[in-house]
Amino acid sequence: MKEPYQKKPFDFPHVPPRVDLKLDEIDESTLTDKLKLWPVLWRDLLKDGKVIPAKSDLSMPKLAAILPNLIIFERLESGDYTLRLVGTDVEAWLDRKLTGLDPLSLVPEPQRRRVKSVYDHVINQPCGFYISEVLMLSQGKKARTTTLKLPLTDKEGTIRYFLAVYQFSDSEYVDTEPHLAAAEHHRVDHIGYIDIGFGVPADRAL
């Protein structure tokens, strides 16, 4: 008999040591094929001497294979974030409409500082990021999730977006008290930043 899921007042679960990758190492990594496709598409968008593609370079036909699994994040002038485009598969797993929301509102308050630090590193470094983990979703649904993020610029060349691709699998329901967070980081298995030519964050906390 399974033990009921016990909610704990942690800021973040145990995080294993980071394993950072270079962009050209992703293809040989253990990430799923769907996640590996996004760096290939990202590199194909580099043109006219750009080192980071612009959001305006994206086209729906080119993104067709990952479109249901993606989220485009934007950092606002305030430093807050908003979700500009969310794929249907992501919304189905989280069981809610997400476009226009503050992504930090989807995670428990104690976890928001560390999640935001990842967002800021991706844009400020700039760099990519990947994580393989178990998320506790609302209504007691638990799912294995793997994510890969890469930055994008606006038309003027300022980095203020990143596109993340999500792969969900192995869903199960557990006994738990109802909670408001749409996605609680329950267990982190693999994590690291991706060097796209500008190094990776020196901060090893996450």
Side-chain angles (χ1 to χ4, degrees):
M1 182 175 176
K2 289 185 179 179
E3 291 292 325
Y5 169 69
Q6 299 295 318
K7 191 167 178 61
K8 300 177 182 178
F10 57 79
D11 95 323
F12 225 79
H14 170 71
V15 178
R18 266 171 43 190
V19 178
D20 297 330
L21 300 172
K22 293 184 182 297
L23 194 62
D24 59 7
E25 295 174 337
I26 292 176
D27 195 50
E28 300 300 320
S29 74
T30 59
L31 293 170
T32 65
D33 289 342
K34 190 174 290 291
L35 267 67
K36 289 178 180 178
L37 180 57
W38 171 220
V40 173
L41 297 173
W42 188 89
R43 279 180 298 215
D44 286 347
L45 293 170
L46 296 175
K47 55 187 179 181
D48 301 326
K50 291 181 179 178
V51 291
I52 294 175
K55 184 173 77 70
S56 58
D57 294 328
L58 301 176
S59 69
M60 294 303 108
K62 287 185 178 180
L63 296 178
I66 61 172
L67 195 57
N69 304 85
L70 64 76
I71 299 180
I72 295 178
F73 295 69
E74 179 183 3
R75 184 164 68 180
L76 307 174
E77 289 186 9
S78 64
D80 296 328
Y81 287 83
T82 190
L83 302 180
R84 283 295 174 215
L85 179 68
V86 182
T88 53
D89 194 55
V90 180
E91 290 191 327
W93 274 90
L94 271 66
D95 194 27
R96 66 191 67 199
K97 292 293 184 182
L98 300 173
T99 301
L101 295 183
D102 176 350
L104 295 179
S105 71
L106 302 174
V107 301
E109 194 280 330
Q111 297 184 348
R112 293 174 187 172
R113 180 185 61 83
R114 296 185 75 177
V115 172
K116 185 176 186 297
S117 74
V118 170
Y119 297 172
D120 289 341
H121 282 323
V122 169
I123 287 179
N124 294 340
Q125 184 69 31
C127 61
F129 177 79
Y130 75 93
I131 184 170
S132 179
E133 61 181 331
V134 172
L135 289 178
M136 181 63 68
L137 308 177
S138 57
Q139 310 304 319
K141 184 164 67 173
K142 190 165 67 170
R144 177 170 295 281
T145 310
T146 308
T147 310
L148 190 149
K149 301 173 169 67
L150 288 170
L152 299 166
T153 73
D154 60 19
K155 291 181 179 180
E156 287 70 44
T158 300
I159 304 168
R160 52 187 258 254
Y161 303 98
F162 59 84
L163 187 153
V165 177
Y166 292 79
Q167 180 97 50
F168 296 93
S169 63
D170 299 334
S171 173
E172 66 172 305
Y173 284 86
V174 297
D175 294 329
T176 178
E177 296 178 3
H179 60 288
L180 297 177
E184 177 185 304
H185 298 272
H186 182 57
R187 189 185 78 227
V188 178
D189 295 320
H190 305 285
I191 192 169
Y193 287 96
I194 301 166
D195 186 348
I196 60 173
F198 302 91
V200 294
D203 178 10
R204 304 295 298 185
L206 188 64

